[in-house]
Amino acid sequence: MAFRYGSGMNDAWKALLETDSEIAELIVAEERRERDKIRLIPSENYVSHAVLAATGSILTNKYSEGYPGRRYYEGQQLIDPIEEMATSRARELFGAEHANVQPYSGTPCNLAVYLAFLQPGDTVMGIELSHGGHLSHGHNVSATGIWFRPVRYGVSRETGLIDFDEARDVAKKERPKLIWAGGTALPRTIDFEAFAEIAKEVDAIFAADIAHIAGLIAGGAHPSPIPFADVVTTTTHKTLRGPRGAMFMSKSEHANKMDRAVFPGLQGGPHNHTTAGIAVALKEASQPEFKDYAKQTVANAKVLAEELMARGFDLVSGGTDNHLILIDLEGKGVTGKPAAKALDRAGIELNFNTVPFDPRKPADPSGIRIGTPAVTSRGMREPEMKKIAEWMDRVVAAPENEDSIAATAAEIAEFCRAFPPPGISVAD
Ligand SMILES: *Cc1c(COP(=O)(O)O)cnc(C)c1O
């Protein structure tokens, strides 16, 4: 085999190589790719070896339909404490009354909110997709927009900030039963209290989807929706730096309804290996180092934003308060998709993205979206953000200059060696 795997290959890896070397080699190649590139996708991160070990464990063997103490299968002596540890850590970390870590991922977790509180055809209000919303907040290609009646609010054309006057007007006129806050491309602090007030005025359930910012909230780098929201949903694999999965937290009064919506409403057996990985990630997120990571993620994003603006990049809302930056490339004479592809060839991984009021289609929109959680997890700080801005500027200025792109990719691979990411074991 043409690679060394960490400090010594363990039994699991030896077995994988013997059983299926094709998959093993692809995984190791992906590991190298994740190590040698600058990962600016704001919804991605690097989990620790500890999270990987729990997630890759024999807990995948066990069926556990139900909840701790109320299961439909025997043999839960060790699964119950694992799930209870995960939920009690979630409650403690976020100060929530109730938590449930069984949802398979962010979208199914959000579906549970609909099942708990809405009937088909009821009205749901969320932020417009092209203004930074998520498909599961009532977009027309999602079940949530097909089975329910979506209405939308957006950001102001002038400021790029959420327009609360518009949101209130839409809510009063359309009377949604459910109001979502949160999204996938919102670079500014979310005022959860303002949403809660609107929801109260129209007697709607208020759900805060903190998938992107859960780690910042846990680390004290973004205000929490817990005091204001009926339900808080989140993925566990973005800034929170856990395994792929999701959880919700709620007020006690909604606990039963929401639990029943997840199981038996939408799911069968929980993924116990993921539950254990979430428990480990929540323990990590309660340590002092995690606060440093959350603060540094924001500090890095602010420096990266300033450095990009100094080079003539047009940032939606003029900057960032969190881990995320949304860039309108119109003034740079290139559209999002070719820019994203050129940057990827150069070793900077990000995604093309619509910007608010985008005249272009989502398949090749005007913008790109970046974020700093993953680079912060591997120890990059302000000086490294300056270099990243320089490289981005170089590539965006000449997205078809393959010689320059290849030279940048080599520089970046070398640069990345000084910042080994958590959880990466490949040694050559
Ligand atoms: C990522 C994300 C989701 C969905 O997560 P999946 O696990 O991909 O289904 C939902 N809401 C928001 C705001 C997100 O950013």
Side-chain angles (χ1 to χ4, degrees):
M1 195 44 50
F3 62 87
R4 283 183 299 125
Y5 198 75
S7 48
M9 205 176 296
N10 64 23
D11 292 347
W13 266 96
K14 279 186 197 138
L16 180 55
L17 275 167
E18 270 171 37
T19 306
D20 193 338
S21 63
E22 285 168 300
I23 288 292
E25 292 205 38
L26 286 168
I27 293 174
V28 171
E30 168 66 9
E31 226 177 304
R32 281 202 195 93
R33 195 193 65 79
E34 295 193 9
R35 179 194 64 190
D36 296 343
K37 276 181 149 178
I38 294 172
R39 168 170 271 191
L40 290 185
I41 295 176
S43 48
E44 293 183 351
N45 217 322
Y46 297 98
V47 298
S48 66
H49 278 300
V51 168
L52 280 178
T55 309
S57 69
I58 52 80
L59 296 174
T60 193
N61 296 343
K62 187 73 193 125
Y63 245 108
S64 310
E65 282 181 356
Y67 290 102
R70 295 171 285 143
R71 304 281 193 186
Y72 292 84
Y73 291 75
E74 297 315 312
Q76 311 296 340
Q77 293 84 353
L78 306 161
I79 300 298
D80 277 5
I82 289 171
E83 187 169 334
E84 277 166 346
M85 233 178 266
T87 51
S88 70
R89 285 175 185 171
R91 288 195 305 271
E92 245 166 73
L93 183 63
F94 289 93
E97 291 174 11
H98 176 70
N100 180 325
V101 297
Q102 291 195 8
Y104 297 146
S105 210
T107 300
C109 186
N110 287 350
L111 268 182
V113 179
Y114 293 82
L115 184 61
F117 298 107
L118 271 61
Q119 293 294 321
D122 281 349
T123 302
V124 54
M125 182 169 103
I127 190 165
E128 168 71 33
L129 193 69
S130 65
H131 290 208
H134 191 261
L135 291 164
S136 62
H137 298 182
H139 192 68
N140 58 359
V141 298
S142 151
T144 62
I146 295 168
W147 293 337
F148 303 94
R149 177 181 160 264
V151 296
R152 309 186 206 292
Y153 58 91
V155 298
S156 135
R157 198 183 273 271
E158 289 73 42
T159 61
L161 303 177
I162 288 169
D163 185 340
F164 281 103
D165 293 335
E166 183 199 11
R168 176 174 276 102
D169 289 347
V170 174
K172 285 192 159 157
K173 183 160 165 274
E174 306 288 353
R175 309 297 294 190
K177 272 206 180 161
L178 168 65
I179 296 177
W180 285 106
T184 60
L186 303 174
R188 293 297 182 175
T189 300
I190 298 172
D191 185 349
F192 294 114
E193 192 171 7
F195 279 107
E197 275 169 22
I198 294 173
K200 208 167 182 189
E201 284 173 41
V202 300
D203 202 21
I205 289 288
F206 171 37
D209 179 347
I210 59 169
H212 260 263
I213 54 175
L216 304 185
I217 292 169
H222 188 290
S224 170
I226 293 287
F228 309 112
D230 293 297
V231 184
V232 175
T233 65
T234 185
T235 53
T236 46
H237 48 270
K238 298 180 183 174
T239 51
L240 193 55
R241 219 160 58 186
R244 300 201 84 77
M247 60 185 194
F248 75 79
M249 293 168 283
S250 73
K251 308 257 186 239
S252 307
E253 61 177 304
H254 303 310
N256 266 333
K257 246 185 176 175
M258 278 296 302
D259 283 351
R260 286 209 316 271
V262 172
F263 174 84
L266 291 165
Q267 300 188 170
H271 294 179
N272 295 315
H273 54 299
T274 303
T275 300
I278 291 172
V280 175
L282 290 169
K283 182 170 185 185
E284 290 176 348
S286 68
Q287 307 301 312
E289 302 85 84
F290 196 86
K291 282 200 167 62
D292 298 339
Y293 147 77
K295 284 204 192 87
Q296 190 62 44
T297 297
V298 175
N300 281 348
K302 283 183 185 289
V303 170
L304 186 52
E306 279 163 23
E307 292 289 323
L308 288 168
M309 287 191 289
R311 289 170 176 79
F313 283 87
D314 178 11
L315 271 47
V316 172
S317 83
T320 181
D321 297 328
N322 55 29
H323 65 300
L324 184 145
I325 297 167
L326 188 57
I327 304 170
D328 186 343
L329 288 174
E330 203 201 346
K332 290 281 183 188
V334 58
T335 59
K337 193 174 186 176
K341 291 201 171 296
L343 284 157
D344 187 52
R345 291 198 299 281
I348 298 179
E349 184 188 12
L350 44 72
N351 63 284
F352 56 84
N353 214 94
T354 49
V355 296
F357 308 101
D358 203 325
R360 303 184 54 85
K361 297 230 158 64
D364 183 14
S366 300
I368 51 175
R369 183 187 72 150
I370 61 176
T372 52
V375 291
T376 307
S377 290
R378 64 191 296 180
M380 295 183 188
R381 302 175 68 88
E382 288 83 349
E384 287 75 41
M385 298 307 114
K386 291 185 185 175
K387 302 201 72 157
I388 292 172
E390 270 172 42
W391 281 317
M392 285 182 67
D393 192 30
R394 191 195 291 171
V395 175
V396 167
E400 283 160 20
N401 184 339
E402 294 306 329
D403 290 344
S404 164
I405 285 173
T408 303
E411 263 177 64
I412 285 176
E414 180 61 32
F415 164 85
C416 283
R417 291 298 172 109
F419 301 93
I424 298 284
S425 298
V426 66
D428 53 14

